[in-house]
Amino acid sequence: MEIYDRLDRQYQMFAKEYKEAAVRVLDSGWYVLGKELESFEREYAGYMDSRHCVGLNNGLDSLTLSLRAMGIGKGDEVIVPANTFIATVIGIVENGATPVFVEPDAYYNLDADRIEERITQKTRAIIVVHLYGQAANMQKIRDIADRRQLRLLEDCAQAHTASFDGRTVGTWGDVGCFSFYPTKNLGAFGDSGAIITDSDEIADRMRMIRNYGCSQKYHNEVRGVNSRLDEMQAALLRVKLGHLKELIKARRAVAGRYLEEIHNPAVLLPGVREGATHVWHLFVVRCQKRDRFQAYLQEKGIRTQIHYPIPPHLQKCYADLGHREGEFPITEQYAKEVLSLPLYNGMTDEEIQYVIDTVNAFR
Ligand SMILES: *Cc1c(COP(=O)(O)O)cnc(C)c1O
């Protein structure tokens, strides 16, 4: 058996609809900034309980351009989880702002109790990341942002439709940032991303920035870029959005079986915080003998991944930030111990059982 996070199963489930949508776009003669994107933006905003959605090229742009739209840049500090994917940090650094790292809690998300000690005169914003698909501790973080008058951005790239205290992620902050990279729970068939916001001002600005900085052709009001979600991806995303509830339900079922049936003292299972929901973008376990565990699974035909082996503060490209090993010990420990088990839409019962049995047999 060969088990790995595969994307073709999900495509096959709805292949007929995807093909119809693709042909509709091809036949339309209109490929960028058209009806499909307008429809997707309207549908996604509604789905996420938000007033606006602005489609972009990718998830990284949703972070970089949101900070830009809020005027956050040189001399500003932005609080960010130390335990995150590099893109969250790139979004800050590429605006000339400084990332200020905060350790994670037991749920791998930004530890709300460690935020305030890192706030200074220069702090302008907090970025939370709903890592692996579980909502962060949003009520507390929203309170801190309000009390300290900081902007709040949510990196929801892994957590489409997760919620905290019944409120959808992406609607707690000023802006919710999304990636539709193919592997994400709501994935396209190429790169794309979006932001959601209730602010007319931020939405207007983002629409200008993504299209060279103009609201009217050839009148460039702000410094913009080219970051448009094209018609083909928008049309394909609309198909998947129509099935997102059932797709997430299926991910929950796999995760539920892993949680119930994996019993191995060497393997620490993920927990879910009270008040939070988890949409299981990734099923991340921890093991002190992680590398041996991963090699064992590989030998048995189970391909796993590590999210993430090197934390951003120790990446070579950010050596100039001056961080050193040992500075964020929890993050660094997680990086040495985490392992993501296969979890994808269309996973068969036989495949799930094989993963469970193989993990349980690890010594
Ligand atoms: C995938 C991801 C991004 C970046 O999205 P892209 O579309 O690949 O640019 C940002 N943040 C997190 C947490 C992600 O998982």
Side-chain angles (χ1 to χ4, degrees), residues 57-63 84-88 129-131 155-158 178-181 183-184 191-193 281 308:
N57 246 325
N58 54 63
L60 173 58
D61 281 357
S62 71
L63 295 156
T84 187
F85 178 54
I86 195 74
T88 326
V129 183
H130 306 290
L131 203 66
D155 181 342
C156 308
Q158 303 189 358
F178 290 87
S179 164
F180 307 124
Y181 182 74
T183 60
K184 311 289 185 187
D191 276 309
S192 50
H281 171 57
Y308 298 93

